[in-house]
Amino acid sequence: MEDVRDYYKAAVPMASAGKRATELRELPQDLAKQCEVIQGVLVHRDMAPWLYDLKLTEQQRDDAHIRPIELMLKRIHELDDRPLTIARDPAHRMPTVCRHFTLMLTAILREHGVPARSRCGFGAYFNAGKFEDHWVCEYWNAQQSRWVLVDAQLDAIQRKALNLKFDPLEVPRDAFIIAGDAWQQCRAGRADASRFGLSHINMAGLWFIAGNVIRDFAALNRMEALPWDVWGMMEMGDEALTAERKALLDKVAALTMAGDDAFPEIRKLYESDERLRMPPVVYNVLRNAPESIAS
């Protein structure tokens, strides 16, 4: 079995920059500067109107359906072909969501030889009393010998608007709740599942958390889905969570929270269970259509 940190250094498959890998390797090694680069080329499509005074067309918003980092970089340069280190004005940034900020930082860190992975879960810092669907990057801090959460999306504008009380380069684990943690809390009665989801569209519940548990599990296997990609046993409504499915999700959630010792079992279960493994074609809920994950 491959060493866990070597596994998260490899830039495959969704986070592979391909022909553009050199471009990422030439970026600054400083984590804060890497995040600034990302913030200068991406804009969160749902925050664009109220934080960046940017009205996006549906065609522009469609850029958020791009999955691999190589295609993201291609699109970034189609919008503005200057080096990544030159911050674009918001109108010339690629409209995306949290998952893309996270994937880009994950890809950059891996190209710099730093173990990194995307984590799917819920942010407690967007809407008081709610845990909003969100992604952040988790990287291995060699000096401190521990995994650290980083939110690459939170630029100065967002930090001010959210009145943030922590450093985005080290997100507290009670501010970003990994999906498996949310599942365990709700299953044990320590948290209310109705508070986890997307409050602006009134979508929440244990079934929503279950979907993110599976997406986080896939991301731990270096398959970073879009937040609206579904496959396997992802279904809307808590009634879809049979006793058998809950038992499997209990196991998956525990593995995602168990630490590096669980890595061999994470890999084994992912490869052996097609209900969990991200297939070559997923269902894009927003487009109401099947799509190749290579697109």
Side-chain angles (χ1 to χ4, degrees):
M1 176 63 68
E2 188 175 4
D3 175 79
V4 59
R5 286 186 281 281
D6 286 342
Y7 182 80
Y8 292 117
K9 285 181 185 178
V12 293
M14 202 71 76
S16 172
K19 295 180 293 185
R20 299 179 181 271
T22 301
E23 184 176 29
L24 298 188
R25 286 195 293 269
E26 291 176 347
L27 293 177
Q29 293 191 19
D30 180 76
L31 182 62
K33 291 181 179 179
Q34 290 171 349
C35 290
E36 288 175 3
V37 167
I38 295 168
Q39 294 157 7
V41 297
L42 304 181
V43 62
H44 195 292
R45 69 177 194 175
D46 298 325
M47 292 185 172
W50 64 281
L51 282 184
Y52 302 92
D53 194 27
L54 179 62
K55 294 182 179 180
L56 299 171
T57 66
E58 282 305 310
Q59 185 177 4
Q60 289 174 309
R61 286 174 58 84
D62 268 357
D63 282 350
H65 293 285
I66 296 174
R67 292 178 182 82
I69 188 66
E70 186 172 11
L71 294 184
M72 283 178 58
L73 292 169
K74 179 175 181 289
R75 182 58 179 151
I76 287 167
H77 284 297
E78 286 174 350
L79 294 169
D80 188 322
D81 200 29
R82 292 178 297 172
L84 295 176
T85 49
I86 299 177
R88 283 75 161 144
D89 65 88
H92 291 90
R93 299 175 192 171
M94 176 182 169
T96 60
V97 294
C98 53
R99 175 264 185 194
H100 298 84
F101 286 85
T102 295
L103 180 66
M104 190 165 180
L105 180 58
T106 299
I108 292 170
L109 288 169
R110 288 179 183 173
E111 289 295 344
H112 284 259
V114 177
R117 56 204 186 187
S118 300
R119 301 307 303 259
C120 179
F122 301 88
Y125 39 92
F126 296 102
N127 190 358
K130 301 287 186 178
F131 299 90
E132 304 288 356
D133 181 36
H134 195 48
W135 291 66
V136 301
C137 178
E138 188 175 47
Y139 80 98
W140 179 254
N141 186 312
Q143 289 184 330
Q144 300 176 18
S145 297
R146 65 187 180 97
W147 291 97
V148 177
L149 299 175
V150 180
D151 193 332
Q153 174 189 306
L154 300 176
D155 62 12
I157 293 174
Q158 293 181 37
R159 294 196 299 271
K160 181 179 180 181
L162 297 171
N163 192 25
L164 217 62
K165 302 297 185 183
F166 59 84
D167 184 351
L169 300 183
E170 185 164 348
V171 180
R173 292 183 183 265
D174 60 352
F176 178 80
I177 313 297
I178 291 172
D181 187 11
W183 175 267
Q184 290 181 323
Q185 289 188 40
C186 292
R187 288 280 280 159
R190 292 182 282 112
D192 181 357
S194 69
R195 296 169 63 199
F196 292 81
L198 282 171
S199 59
H200 70 282
I201 56 173
N202 296 314
M203 191 173 287
L206 196 62
W207 67 271
F208 195 110
I209 299 170
N212 274 6
V213 170
I214 296 172
R215 291 184 190 94
D216 185 59
F217 193 59
L220 288 178
N221 286 274
R222 301 184 307 201
M223 294 300 295
E224 298 87 357
L226 294 178
W228 44 85
D229 284 339
V230 301
W231 67 90
M233 61 183 193
M234 294 183 188
E235 293 185 48
M236 290 184 65
D238 287 354
E239 63 276 6
L241 293 171
T242 63
E244 180 186 7
R245 289 183 175 185
K246 286 180 179 178
L248 176 58
L249 287 163
D250 286 342
K251 181 177 182 179
V252 173
L255 286 173
T256 64
M257 299 301 296
D260 290 348
D261 289 344
F263 176 68
E265 194 171 353
I266 286 172
R267 293 289 298 124
K268 181 179 179 181
L269 179 60
Y270 181 79
E271 292 297 338
S272 65
D273 197 322
E274 63 182 11
R275 294 172 296 178
L276 304 172
R277 189 172 62 252
M278 190 178 178
V281 175
V282 294
Y283 195 80
N284 183 322
V285 172
L286 295 188
R287 285 179 165 170
N288 196 28
E291 288 185 347
S292 166
I293 62 174
S295 63

